[in-house]
Amino acid sequence: MELSISFTKDTAKYVQIYEEIKVAIINKKLCAQDKLPSKRALAKTLNVSIHTVQGAYEQLLAEGYIYSKERLGYFIAPFEFEWDQHLQKHSSSASTAISHTIKYDFHNGHVDKTAFPIASWHKLLKKHLNIENLTISPWQGEWTLREEIARYVARSRGVQCEASQVFVYSGTQNQLQALCHFFGSKSHVGIENPGFKRLCSTVQQCGLFAHAIPVDQSGITIPNEALHLLYTTPAHQFPLGMVMPIERRAAILQWATSKEAFIIEDDYDSEFRFKGLPIPSLAKMDQLQRVIYFGTFSKTLIPSLRISYMILPHSLVEDYQLFHQDQKSVVSKIDQLVLAEFMAQGLYDKHLAKMRTIYRKKQQVLLAAIHAHFSEEFKVIGEKSGLHIVVRLPSRLSEQNAIQLAMQVGIAVYPCSTSYQQGSHEAMVIIGYGGLTLEQITDGIALLASVWQFSVSRF
């Protein structure tokens, strides 16, 4: 695919690239599933920097015009409705549609980097960075780390397991891919709808059948389909944020037992619960009979560490080890050893206690700012735990327009519609707060209210 863009001096180049591609998508000059040029290729064609193209692609991705496939690139997203608008190329509003810089980024995947215990981590890193540790780890992960993970989930989530059941990976997608390959291409997988959009593409890329299982106020519903695996986020459903009540948890476990299916419980941010007592995990209730437990250190430490883990039921361990016996570890040995000692010394538990306090305060400030600056027609949902909330917009404000208005004043918020496999009729945005300071949260919400509170959607 070739994209020809004539630049003007009126607007930043990445804004013009964004507008040109958006108009082409809306006018169906670019069709669903079409592959966009790589960032490098388009930058070379247009004689601009890769950073300029990346800015345009990221905005198109945030608004749901395109989607990405790991290692494959960017593709035009499918739309099941007709656009009733006609945009002019480089319209006068283009220069104000997007701010040149993002001052406040409310991304749900960001964490408080300033609170990371760099001194302690660096000390352990220097200790383990030696000639003996320059080899690769066993494919299942370092035994010391697997032991510490087993101890941690036992005391924090009540999950009783052995180190042999723990498998260390470089992220949720990575371990889901390995699991999908193990179950095989004839398997059927149920995925929350709405839910993690990358999960569905991962399952499909592995050749398995993905089924959208609706979510209601109690979380994922009991499937009617014949499934081998069911993926769910019961502690804090993504993105809507509801916590699965005990009745639904019991019903899901009964379903899995009766259907001889397995449940993938993704406990991605269960450490951060701000209202009520901790909710028991499915793995604790089931004690790893039909539950495969997913955990990660991306939220509690830093995403760039790229360490996650999967805990399998005893019944699957031997076959899983045999299936993957020729694999190699995908996680740095040194990072695994550092993390293992960090946990063994009690530093991880200490850090978690600190982060709970920090994030609780941030959430309180966020909710207070929303209450102070927005009317009741803006509804907050999913605030009981986790590092993001969802705001349901009033009918006069579309999701797309809300995101563009926010960008106009230098604020990045994110669409909820991209989490739905068939799109959503409700206008909602995801607001993460983990990576912002208290002052940034307060100022950002006030600025957001200045463009949302009395706006009328153009779409």
Side-chain angles (χ1 to χ4, degrees):
M1 176 190 298
E2 293 187 4
L3 294 175
S4 177
I5 296 174
S6 301
F7 293 111
T8 67
K9 295 182 179 180
D10 299 334
T11 317
K13 289 183 178 179
Y14 84 93
V15 176
Q16 297 181 54
I17 297 171
Y18 153 80
E19 284 287 347
E20 288 273 5
I21 296 176
K22 183 178 73 171
V23 169
I25 293 171
I26 291 173
N27 293 334
K28 298 189 181 299
K29 293 180 179 178
L30 296 178
C31 302
Q33 315 304 341
D34 281 354
K35 187 177 187 299
L36 287 170
S38 69
K39 290 179 287 187
R40 185 178 300 277
L42 185 56
K44 183 176 181 180
T45 299
L46 300 179
N47 195 26
V48 297
S49 70
I50 294 178
H51 181 74
T52 297
V53 177
Q54 181 176 346
Y57 278 12
E58 286 181 349
Q59 180 59 26
L60 291 164
L61 189 66
E63 295 183 20
Y65 288 107
I66 65 176
Y67 66 95
S68 64
K69 289 184 178 180
E70 190 172 0
R71 299 188 185 91
L72 294 178
Y74 295 90
F75 298 82
I76 307 302
F79 295 99
E80 296 186 355
F81 54 90
E82 295 293 329
W83 295 89
D84 57 358
Q85 58 179 355
H86 299 281
L87 300 180
Q88 297 292 327
K89 291 185 178 181
H90 304 306
S91 64
S92 59
S93 64
S95 60
T96 58
I98 302 179
S99 173
H100 289 193
T101 58
I102 296 176
K103 292 182 286 187
Y104 306 109
D105 190 350
F106 287 90
H107 194 288
N108 66 282
H110 292 177
V111 300
D112 193 330
K113 296 178 292 186
T114 63
F116 183 73
I118 290 179
S120 299
W121 195 268
H122 189 248
K123 182 179 179 180
L124 293 174
L125 184 60
K126 288 195 296 183
K127 174 182 176 180
H128 291 282
L129 185 56
N130 55 59
I131 195 70
E132 288 79 14
N133 292 333
L134 299 185
T135 57
I136 195 169
S137 293
W139 78 268
Q140 193 172 338
E142 288 294 319
W143 183 262
T144 54
L145 177 57
R146 290 154 59 197
E147 283 188 317
E148 290 302 327
I149 290 172
R151 294 189 186 103
Y152 169 70
V153 297
R155 66 177 180 268
S156 67
R157 302 297 283 145
V159 180
Q160 302 300 322
C161 70
E162 301 169 358
S164 61
Q165 296 172 255
V166 180
F167 297 79
V168 178
Y169 285 97
S170 62
T172 299
Q173 285 179 272
N174 180 240
Q175 60 198 32
L176 180 62
Q177 286 172 345
L179 194 64
C180 286
H181 291 314
F182 171 69
F183 272 84
S185 60
K186 293 183 180 180
S187 299
H188 292 252
V189 184
I191 301 173
E192 292 175 329
N193 187 33
F196 280 118
K197 60 182 179 182
R198 295 184 184 92
L199 269 296
C200 183
S201 61
T202 298
V203 170
Q204 292 173 335
Q205 286 169 3
C206 290
L208 282 69
F209 300 93
H211 299 266
I213 308 300
V215 167
D216 63 16
Q217 68 276 7
S218 296
I220 196 166
T221 55
I222 307 300
N224 295 317
E225 297 86 345
L227 302 175
H228 299 91
L229 291 167
L230 177 65
Y231 173 90
T232 182
T233 53
H236 186 230
Q237 200 279 332
F238 186 88
L240 300 182
M242 71 279 288
V243 178
M244 185 182 291
I246 192 68
E247 295 84 3
R248 179 63 56 81
R249 291 170 185 252
I252 288 289
L253 290 173
Q254 289 173 358
W255 167 85
T257 300
S258 66
K259 302 297 184 181
E260 296 186 346
F262 287 94
I263 299 170
I264 301 173
E265 178 181 19
D266 190 345
D267 231 18
Y268 71 102
D269 67 357
S270 63
E271 289 87 357
F272 304 119
R273 177 166 169 78
F274 307 122
K275 292 184 179 180
L277 297 173
I279 302 297
S281 65
L282 290 173
K284 177 184 178 180
M285 296 173 63
D286 170 72
Q287 283 308 315
L288 295 172
Q289 298 299 310
R290 311 301 307 182
V291 175
I292 298 168
Y293 186 86
F294 278 18
T296 180
F297 295 97
S298 291
K299 294 285 189 180
T300 55
L301 289 171
I302 46 175
S304 59
L305 185 61
R306 304 312 301 150
I307 297 183
S308 62
Y309 56 93
M310 175 173 65
I311 304 176
L312 292 181
H314 272 298
S315 61
L316 296 179
V317 169
E318 185 176 351
D319 288 342
Y320 190 82
Q321 289 173 330
L322 182 63
F323 182 84
H324 285 295
Q325 62 182 338
D326 294 328
Q327 298 300 311
K328 288 187 176 181
S329 174
V330 294
V331 185
S332 160
K333 177 175 184 174
I334 294 171
D335 286 344
Q336 291 187 59
L337 294 174
V338 170
L339 178 55
E341 187 164 353
F342 188 77
M343 298 177 76
Q345 291 185 10
L347 297 174
Y348 183 63
D349 287 344
K350 181 180 178 181
H351 177 69
L352 267 181
K354 173 185 174 182
M355 298 314 299
R356 288 189 183 102
T357 300
I358 290 175
Y359 289 140
R360 181 180 291 108
K361 179 62 175 177
K362 287 188 178 187
Q363 195 205 60
Q364 289 171 348
V365 169
L366 173 69
L367 296 177
I370 291 174
H371 179 74
H373 293 287
F374 285 96
S375 64
E376 293 184 357
E377 60 181 348
F378 291 84
K379 304 294 183 182
V380 173
I381 59 178
E383 75 281 7
K384 291 183 179 180
S385 61
L387 300 184
H388 77 272
I389 62 169
V390 171
V391 174
R392 182 178 288 117
L393 303 171
S395 58
R396 59 180 171 79
L397 189 61
S398 74
E399 182 185 86
Q400 181 185 357
N401 197 26
I403 291 171
Q404 290 186 344
L405 287 170
M407 275 288 183
Q408 185 177 328
V409 291
I411 297 178
V413 294
Y414 297 86
C416 203
S417 59
T418 56
S419 298
Y420 287 81
Q421 292 189 35
Q422 300 297 329
S424 172
H425 297 297
E426 289 189 285
M428 297 181 288
V429 293
I430 302 172
I431 296 180
Y433 55 88
L436 298 173
T437 65
L438 298 178
E439 183 179 6
Q440 287 172 331
I441 292 171
T442 300
D443 293 347
I445 293 300
L447 196 56
L448 200 57
S450 71
V451 292
W452 278 6
Q453 186 63 50
F454 302 107
S455 62
V456 177
S457 179
R458 299 191 303 270
F459 304 98

